[in-house]
Amino acid sequence: MVHADASTFAANVTKEEAYQQVLDQAEGLLFDQRNWVCNLSNVAALLWHAYKSLPSPSNEVNWAGFYTLDLTTPNQLILGPFQGKVACQTIAFSRGVCGAAASTKRTQLVPDVDAFPGHIACDGASRSEIVVPIVVHDRVVAIIDVDCAVPEGFDDVDRAWLEKLAELVGKSCDWP
Ligand code: SME
């Protein structure tokens, strides 16, 4: 199998099946590779193609990727590998949905970004968002961020699978 086939998702699969494929492919890709840039890049691609293979609202995802800990400034995230439009470069832990996930170490499931105080609109098209922290030895090393162009784009199925993915990614990379 060539590498690109890992991101080929069959039509008509359920969201659970698509996430299972993301997990399985990520496990394979990260098995003998611990570089975080390399690994987060491939996982962002897997997520993007998984969402695009699904019906609405998942196929309305307009951004999927990562922010990592910014070692130059305390309590700040910096843009990591992603798929979608150009995004904010740094985010303080005190700001936005990403900051809330990083500072609380808890997943933020936001059905309506306009109702979330301090939401940062990197792309005005985003209407809902889920952010999952990647915690290694009690330290937030990165967050997974997925935005959707319609409200209520994410539910507890997304939360459960993205949390599994965060655990896999956390233990499979050497973090700076
Ligand atoms: N909306 C996020 C900022 C990151 S972008 O969506 C890619 C937030 O409020 O933290």
Side-chain angles (χ1 to χ4, degrees), residues 63 67 87 91 96-98 119-120 122 129 145 147:
W63 203 90
Y67 281 81
I91 298 176
V97 186
C98 294
H119 166 256
I120 303 164
C122 288
E129 179 163 8
D145 181 16
D147 288 18

Side-chain angles (χ1 to χ4, degrees), residues 8-44:
T8 302
F9 290 83
N12 302 321
V13 294
T14 65
K15 189 157 75 170
E16 287 85 346
E17 288 167 332
Y19 273 121
Q20 183 68 63
Q21 183 177 338
V22 169
L23 253 289
D24 291 345
Q25 294 296 351
E27 216 164 328
L29 287 162
L30 276 49
F31 175 68
D32 54 359
Q33 175 57 257
R34 294 195 59 84
N35 180 280
W36 68 269
V37 177
C38 173
N39 287 343
L40 298 189
S41 302
N42 268 337
V43 173

Side-chain angles (χ1 to χ4, degrees), residues 6-10 12-29 42-66 107-109 128-132 144-148 152-169:
S7 50
T8 302
F9 290 83
N12 302 321
V13 294
T14 65
K15 189 157 75 170
E16 287 85 346
E17 288 167 332
Y19 273 121
Q20 183 68 63
Q21 183 177 338
V22 169
L23 253 289
D24 291 345
Q25 294 296 351
E27 216 164 328
L29 287 162
N42 268 337
V43 173
L46 284 173
L47 283 174
W48 182 260
H49 289 285
Y51 293 126
K52 294 301 157 187
S53 77
L54 291 169
S56 183
S58 301
N59 64 1
E60 314 246 22
V61 161
N62 61 330
W63 203 90
F66 298 88
T107 296
Q108 305 292 309
L109 180 50
S128 55
E129 179 163 8
I130 186 167
V131 182
V132 178
I144 303 174
D145 181 16
V146 190
D147 288 18
C148 188
E152 296 181 12
F154 308 100
D155 58 19
D156 283 335
V157 173
D158 299 281
R159 174 201 291 268
W161 285 95
L162 288 173
E163 288 180 350
K164 281 188 215 186
L165 186 63
E167 197 187 329
L168 172 69
V169 169

Side-chain angles (χ1 to χ4, degrees), residues 70-154:
D70 183 356
L71 299 180
T72 69
T73 308
N75 297 326
Q76 183 165 286
L77 299 166
I78 186 158
L79 184 61
F82 70 95
Q83 304 268 312
K85 290 186 183 172
V86 168
C88 320
Q89 286 153 294
T90 59
I91 298 176
F93 274 27
S94 57
R95 294 197 59 225
V97 186
C98 294
S103 59
T104 61
K105 298 179 184 159
R106 307 282 307 240
T107 296
Q108 305 292 309
L109 180 50
V110 182
D112 174 4
V113 295
D114 293 332
F116 189 96
H119 166 256
I120 303 164
C122 288
D123 180 349
S126 299
R127 298 263 69 90
S128 55
E129 179 163 8
I130 186 167
V131 182
V132 178
I134 300 176
V135 182
V136 179
H137 302 312
D138 208 35
R139 172 178 174 250
V140 174
V141 292
I143 57 96
I144 303 174
D145 181 16
V146 190
D147 288 18
C148 188
V150 296
E152 296 181 12
F154 308 100

